[in-house]
Each structure stands twice: as C-alpha cells, then as structure tokens.
Amino acid sequence: MRKILIVGAGQAGLQLALGLQSQGYDVTVMSNRTADEVRGGRVMSTQCMFTTALQHERDLGLNFWEDQAPRTEGLGVSVSAPDASRPIDWVGRLNGYAQSVDQRVKMAGWLETFAERGGKVVVHGVAVSDLDYFARAYDLVLVAAGKGELVSMFARDASRSPYDAPQRSLAVSYVHGLGPRPEHPDFLAVRCNLVPGVGELFVMPTLTTTGPADILFWEGIPGGPVDVFQGIRDPQEHLRVTLELMRRFTPWEYDRALNVQLTDAGGTLSGRYAPTVRRAVGELPSGGLVLGVADVVVANDPITGQGSNNAARCAASYLADILAHGDRPFDRAWMESTFEHYWSLAAPVTKWTNAMLGPPPEHVLGLIGAAGALPPVADRIANGFDDPADFEHFFFDPGLAAAYLGDVQKQLA
C-alpha cells in the first residue's frame, strides 16, 4: 500500500486525502490545528464554489452541506459612478447553482471524517527540516499549506507571475441580517460591485457556523480609500468601517445592510498577498522532493472568486494522476507533468484574474455595459466564473468581443 503524506488541511489537501483514502491509499494529513480549533477559529476565506468544483466534491461523496447551504443561482455586476449612482446593474443566471460553505465548517467536518475513516491526522506545525525526514518515510509528500515557511521551498515562476506585489487589500465580514436585493428577491446571487479607481465589493450568500449568512468582501486598490483595514483589530470596528465604505461607494448595498451583525467574534478577516505562480517541485536540503498543491503553487487574487474552485480542480487533477501512476516512483518528471496537467486548468483562471486586477480596456467595459441590455451576455459572463476558459473566446480580444456582441444582437433582433 502506497504511503502518502499531505501537509495542510484545506480544500485541496483534505479533498485529495479523502479521495486517496477511498482508493485504499495509506494517507497521513498534517494540520496545525485540530478540527475543533478550526471550527472555533477565525474565518479563513470567502469561498464561493461553482458547479464544476461542487461536482468534484459530489464525485467523492463529500457534499455534506449541500442541502443546508444557500443555493446561489445568479451572478450580478454593478458599476459605481463618481456620484455613487449605478449606471450599470445586471444579473446573469448560472447554469448550475453555486454554494459557499465557511471553511471552518467544511474543513473541520472533513478532517473529522478523514480520521473516522481510519486516516492518520497529525496535529503539528511543520518546518522544512521536518519534511526532510518525512520525504524518506513516505512514497509521496504533498504540500498543501499555502502560507508560512513551507511555501519558500517553491520558487516563483516569473514567466507566469506578472505581479510581484499585492494588487488589492482584502477585508471580509461574515454577517447575519442582510436584506434581499430588491432587483431579484426570488433568487440569490453573488453581487460584484465595481468602483473604478477604488476597488470592488463582493456580497455572497454562505453557510457558516451559525447558519445561513452573507459575506461582505472589500477588495481595495493599495493606497486607496478602501485600503484602511490593516491596523483594525476589533471586529466591530472592522464591520463599522466596512459599512461606512458601503454607504460611501455602494449605497444600494448599504441600504440592505442597515441591520447586519457579525455572525461571531471570528467573523472578520483582512490581509493582502501578491498573486504568484510558483515552481511545482520543492527540493529539500537532503535532496528529497515534494509536490506543491493548489495555492502553494498557483495563488490568484480572490477578485474572481476562484481560490476554492482552483483548489478543487487541483485536488481532482492530482488524484487522477496519482491513481494512474500505479506503483511507479513519484519522481521529479512525474511531479512536473502532474502540475502541468493542473496548470492547463489553472492557466485560464490566472489569465482572467490578472486581467481583472488592472483597469479594464474599452472593449471589456463595452461587454459589461452591453450585458445590461443583452441577457445572453450577462449569462455568459456569469457562467465564466464556473468555466474561465470560455473567456478566451470573447473577453480578451476586442475583435472577438465585437463579433460576439454582433452575433447576440442579431439573434435577439
């Protein structure tokens, strides 16, 4: 029986661990926290998983919260003008619903399930020196912990990383009491509010430790008026600033947030990081090799909501390659090939995400504006969040965008 060690207990690490476990592999997961510590800790992300990523969970029977989590059936875009009016506002319908489950709920539950099914869980922080030993004791070591010392083993790939500094400051609040969007009171949607020159406000339904809730998520351009959360430690002050920025820049969202309260004392998060693609293979001092997983090797800015989706894609891709490899050694060539298989899925996400971090070109503004009058365009942009590879066909090139809009207008004439 092949022995595999996975360092990190997030979306990718646990999805992969549970998938390998179901195929009879001897799997150990190392986590720096127990399931109870995860469940009782601070929020970790703003995950919204679209239909393809959710299917990866269903394929492994891991969709434990599907009947409890809110079903998000649309994705809407609003653009704020300098006077805080809304010249653009539309919503596209998703082909399959999306869902968000607070990672405190999901990761704690999955970690407990992995242990209940006989998996080994080691609760301990891991240093590079620890991995030097483990690489000799296991057939394969995967690093799925996207923060801390271990990431330094994986060199930045400059050819795939156009940014070397954070492009947004991030601030998250999980809340109860948010009112419905009057434009579509009969279904739930993720709302993306673009504030040119300032940043973005995302509002999304979620399931958290205290039940159904909503996430208020500001992404601020560094140095701008939304980049004000770094020194805030008090959760209530964090929420107050969040709401004040909503009142100033997105009053239509503020109007339905008049009665919100934080879901819990751990319901806020702030930070920033540079979007980076890294080399997939880390070399240990002894010469042993480890393979990076998900955001260890492809860390995109959350502006397109792809973090947990990429993690699910990575886990599914790596699982297929591990199973196909049989009893052969997990050498450098295999590791690099396995990553490139995943990169074929992650590259379109990275291209789109990096494009959205800069000022939108004229033809993209034209697409976003046209979506308000052309529902097929709104729907296609919305469903691109599930299949970002589709943006290659109409989003990046002005000629393709113009041809696409012309075709839609003809069809609707």
Side-chain angles (χ1 to χ4, degrees):
M1 184 184 299
R2 309 210 77 178
K3 294 179 64 178
I4 294 179
L5 172 66
I6 298 175
V7 181
Q11 174 75 39
L14 285 173
Q15 181 182 318
L16 181 55
L18 286 154
L20 289 167
Q21 184 184 56
S22 71
Q23 296 296 319
Y25 284 72
D26 181 353
V27 185
T28 298
V29 169
M30 295 197 72
S31 170
N32 62 355
R33 294 187 292 172
T34 67
D36 284 342
E37 287 170 339
V38 171
R39 190 178 285 113
R42 184 170 295 278
V43 294
M44 298 178 281
S45 65
T46 57
Q47 67 295 312
C48 181
M49 299 185 69
F50 295 89
T51 186
T52 298
L54 292 175
Q55 189 58 48
H56 290 315
E57 296 185 355
R58 295 185 192 109
D59 290 343
L60 297 174
L62 300 177
N63 54 326
F64 302 156
W65 302 274
E66 187 159 7
D67 291 338
Q68 303 169 47
R71 297 192 175 191
T72 298
E73 298 179 18
L75 187 140
V77 172
S78 302
V79 178
S80 179
D83 64 356
S85 63
R86 239 184 323 174
I88 295 174
D89 182 69
W90 51 260
V91 62
R93 297 300 292 258
L94 296 170
N95 293 332
Y97 59 79
Q99 289 188 306
S100 169
V101 178
D102 184 343
Q103 291 200 343
R104 295 179 296 180
V105 174
K106 184 188 288 186
M107 299 313 128
W110 279 3
L111 192 59
E112 289 169 340
T113 298
F114 175 75
E116 290 165 0
R117 293 176 179 177
K120 303 183 192 73
V121 177
V122 178
V123 181
H124 197 280
V126 182
V128 172
S129 57
D130 299 316
L131 289 187
D132 232 2
Y133 166 78
F134 292 131
R136 295 189 292 271
Y138 289 86
D139 296 303
L140 175 63
V141 176
L142 300 123
V143 177
K147 298 180 178 66
E149 174 191 347
L150 299 185
V151 178
S152 66
M153 292 190 302
F154 303 91
R156 178 175 178 269
D157 185 343
S159 68
R160 292 171 170 174
S161 304
Y163 300 113
D164 59 6
Q167 299 301 298
R168 294 291 189 275
S169 64
L170 315 174
V172 176
S173 299
Y174 277 55
V175 299
H176 290 307
L178 187 70
R181 255 300 188 106
E183 299 88 341
H184 49 83
D186 55 330
F187 68 93
L188 298 176
V190 173
R191 299 296 316 200
C192 172
N193 300 277
L194 308 177
V195 188
V198 173
E200 301 81 26
L201 171 71
F202 297 88
V203 183
M204 66 188 75
T206 192
L207 176 72
T208 187
T209 55
T210 52
D214 287 277
I215 300 171
L216 309 176
F217 176 31
W218 272 111
E219 286 221 350
I221 294 174
V226 175
D227 185 12
V228 292
F229 288 88
Q230 274 189 293
I232 298 176
R233 297 291 177 263
D234 177 63
Q236 294 300 330
E237 176 65 7
H238 182 110
L239 177 60
R240 187 197 68 76
V241 173
T242 295
L243 294 173
E244 174 56 27
L245 291 168
M246 291 170 64
R247 185 195 64 78
R248 178 178 173 187
F249 294 111
T250 59
W252 55 91
E253 299 289 15
Y254 176 77
D255 286 346
R256 63 189 185 118
L258 298 176
N259 298 313
V260 300
Q261 296 181 335
L262 290 175
T263 57
D264 63 282
T268 62
L269 178 69
S270 63
R272 65 184 71 203
Y273 61 88
T276 307
V277 178
R278 299 181 178 90
R279 305 289 181 184
V281 181
E283 188 166 342
L284 298 163
S286 64
L289 303 177
V290 296
L291 177 60
V293 180
D295 60 357
V296 170
V297 285
V298 182
N300 289 324
D301 188 278
I303 191 170
T304 55
Q306 294 297 302
S308 56
N309 294 273
N310 261 358
R313 292 184 189 104
C314 184
S317 180
Y318 278 23
L319 176 61
D321 279 3
I322 292 170
L323 297 180
H325 200 58
D327 294 328
R328 288 169 287 171
F330 295 111
D331 56 14
R332 180 185 291 272
W334 177 85
M335 290 182 178
E336 291 177 344
S337 172
T338 294
F339 172 73
E340 290 301 322
H341 289 164
Y342 165 55
W343 177 246
S344 69
L345 304 173
V349 178
T350 301
K351 179 177 180 178
W352 173 47
T353 302
N354 288 339
M356 293 300 294
L357 287 169
E362 185 176 348
H363 75 277
V364 170
L365 292 174
L367 283 168
I368 293 173
L374 302 172
V377 177
D379 292 348
R380 189 171 187 181
I381 293 173
N383 284 286
F385 281 73
D386 178 54
D387 179 19
D390 185 47
F391 286 115
E392 194 69 44
H393 303 131
F394 75 102
F395 191 82
F396 299 113
D397 180 84
L400 291 177
Y404 168 60
L405 289 179
D407 288 343
V408 172
Q409 288 166 339
K410 288 179 184 176
Q411 292 169 9
L412 295 178

